[in-house]
Amino acid sequence: VQEFISAEFKESVSTVLNNALKGQNTANFEFPLYTKDKRPVEVLLNATSRIDSNGKLVGVVGVGQDVTEKKQRKVELTRVADDLRKLIDTANAPIFGI
């Protein structure tokens, strides 16, 4: 996994996984991951400790979700909203909403 994580996030991803091994869960940790063909993908990671019936840590479950398109849509939506706000703020005539 380390080869697919950018240098600036290796330490924080490692911390998340090590914390899970210590029994500390992490929810909604976002970081970029790179595919084999070097394409960036935004990942939302949840890491949860697995505890047996005796309270002993037996493993970690990590779930990563590709949120690349969702983030891109959010950026585009923000850009359009900003453009519309600027248009309304600089309009020479009154604009009324119905």
Side-chain angles (χ1 to χ4, degrees), residues 31-91:
F31 67 99
L33 192 69
Y34 292 91
T35 62
K36 288 181 182 179
D37 61 351
K38 307 295 184 213
R39 187 175 47 89
V41 176
E42 289 293 323
V43 175
L44 184 66
L45 175 66
N46 292 292
T48 305
S49 304
R50 297 289 297 160
I51 309 294
D52 68 11
S53 59
N54 297 318
K56 181 180 175 188
L57 178 71
V58 293
V60 172
V61 175
V63 178
Q65 179 181 359
D66 181 350
V67 293
T68 306
E69 288 183 23
K70 182 179 180 181
K71 282 191 82 169
Q72 289 170 344
R73 286 191 305 267
K74 185 176 181 179
V75 166
E76 180 63 14
L77 183 62
T78 301
R79 186 193 64 75
V80 169
D82 288 344
D83 287 350
L84 289 172
R85 200 171 296 112
K86 288 176 189 173
L87 178 67
I88 291 170
D89 290 346
T90 59

